[in-house]
Amino acid sequence: MAAQLVRPDVSDLVLRAYGRALHPELFEHHCGVTLTNSKMRLDVRLNASGHVLTLQSGSESMTEVIVDHHESLPKRQRIVDYRLRGCRNESAEFETGLRYDMSCQLERLHLDIFLRMNEELELDCQRADLSTRLPAINRFLPGPLSLIRTEVGRESILIYAFHTFPEHCAIVKTQSLFERCDSPMGRSAQ
């Protein structure tokens, strides 16, 4: 099966998170990396829409994905279903002590500002943990770019993701934190 090489319309995108793993065959991806610490394993994949993050921590699993809202995905254990507009923050705590915090922002810019931001992100690709450039649709605009920066701690993994949409002069920025708390259902009382 050939990978989709065209970025969908940014106004059709949703960020969804699930309190479980989703079958990997639901998503085509261009590249990926696996991050681990003593308590977690996180598979990070870049796709045409944005990214797929799949976390395994003990018996707990969860998935964060940016996809076209027309894609048929399961509804079971969906904890976040956010149409990309403006800014949004979400948090979830699981009984096992796993905590998930997400912040997402869609920025629409004037063309000249978008092109400057795109140049800065291209330079950041050199230090990124994962990046990909999709083919340009318009010969006057750069191809869509996705890049991931990560911070892996002893009990946490932090993901910074940037996805450009040149046809719409838009950038989607997300920050996702997965961490183990000291005790189930939150941090221990002081």
Side-chain angles (χ1 to χ4, degrees), residues 102-119:
M102 178 279 300
S103 178
C104 182
Q105 179 180 8
L106 169 61
E107 280 188 283
R108 293 181 184 265
L109 307 165
H110 282 106
L111 179 60
D112 58 332
I113 295 171
F114 173 82
L115 292 173
R116 267 198 315 260
M117 293 291 295
N118 187 75
E119 287 177 10

Side-chain angles (χ1 to χ4, degrees), residues 4 40-41 48 65 71 80 90 99 101 114 121 124 128 133 137 143 146 151 154 159 163 171 178 185 189-190:
Q4 176 187 358
M40 295 180 231
R41 172 191 165 99
V65 60
E71 286 192 41
V80 175
E90 293 284 343
R99 181 173 172 85
D101 291 299
F114 173 82
L121 289 171
D124 286 346
R133 162 97 54 203
I137 296 173
S146 286
E151 293 179 20
R154 221 176 82 234
I159 304 294
H163 308 290
I171 301 175
F178 305 91
M185 294 306 293
Q190 300 284 335

Side-chain angles (χ1 to χ4, degrees), residues 170-189:
I171 301 175
V172 172
K173 303 174 184 177
T174 66
Q175 180 177 310
S176 305
L177 174 64
F178 305 91
E179 70 179 326
R180 297 300 310 186
C181 298
D182 295 339
S183 65
M185 294 306 293
R187 297 190 185 281
S188 58

Side-chain angles (χ1 to χ4, degrees), residues 4 6-8 10 13-18 22-24 26-33 35 42-55 62-68 71 73 80 82 84 88 100-106 129-132 134 144-150 157-165 171-178:
Q4 176 187 358
V6 177
R7 185 88 89 198
V10 71
L13 296 180
V14 292
L15 185 142
R16 291 185 175 146
Y18 295 84
L22 296 180
H23 201 287
L26 288 173
F27 311 101
E28 294 180 8
H29 68 273
H30 301 290
C31 57
V33 66
L35 307 168
L42 182 68
D43 290 320
V44 180
R45 305 286 179 254
L46 293 176
N47 61 15
S49 301
H51 65 259
V52 179
L53 309 176
T54 304
L55 180 81
M62 76 163 296
T63 303
E64 175 187 285
V65 60
I66 295 178
V67 293
D68 186 310
E71 286 192 41
L73 291 179
V80 175
Y82 165 60
L84 294 183
R88 180 76 175 257
Y100 165 69
D101 291 299
M102 178 279 300
S103 178
C104 182
Q105 179 180 8
L106 169 61
D129 296 290
L130 189 62
S131 65
T132 191
L134 300 177
L145 176 68
S146 286
L147 69 100
I148 302 278
R149 302 275 321 256
T150 66
I157 299 177
L158 179 59
I159 304 294
Y160 301 97
F162 302 88
H163 308 290
T164 67
F165 296 79
I171 301 175
V172 172
K173 303 174 184 177
T174 66
Q175 180 177 310
S176 305
L177 174 64
F178 305 91

